[in-house]
Amino acid sequence: MSSSEDLAYEGAKASGTTQHMRIEIITVISGIYKHQQVVHDLSNSILTQLMNMDSETKTIDAMIMLQKLTTDVLENEASLLKGISASIEKIEELQ
């Protein structure tokens, strides 16, 4: 994943920005970053499978992939959103 969020997170680590943060805050930020990575990897995996479908792909296989996309990915994204909200609250408490 090389999104702007990744660049910002990795840049903050490399520049030493995080060295002045409390370890509890860094842990919260790192946890969300890892959760984002899992959601991104899952989404890419399913999208890659969908893109690789061809005329040999069985209808049931296509339906399973679409179900994964609409349930697994959306559930993980909803979980990530809740995690981000909880993390923001946690960081505000720690400051």
Side-chain angles (χ1 to χ4, degrees), residues 21-66:
M21 292 181 184
R22 293 174 51 187
I23 190 68
E24 298 89 355
I25 293 174
I26 295 169
T27 302
V28 170
I29 293 169
S30 178
I32 286 300
Y33 174 78
K34 288 177 185 173
H35 194 164
Q36 260 185 314
Q37 189 66 44
V38 167
V39 171
H40 180 268
D41 292 346
L42 174 65
S43 298
N44 273 352
S45 172
I46 293 171
L47 287 173
T48 298
Q49 291 174 19
L50 285 170
M51 297 298 283
N52 289 333
M53 288 193 310
D54 57 19
S55 62
E56 301 295 317
T57 303
K58 295 179 180 158
T59 304
I60 190 71
D61 294 332
M63 290 174 61
I64 289 169
M65 282 187 266
L66 288 172

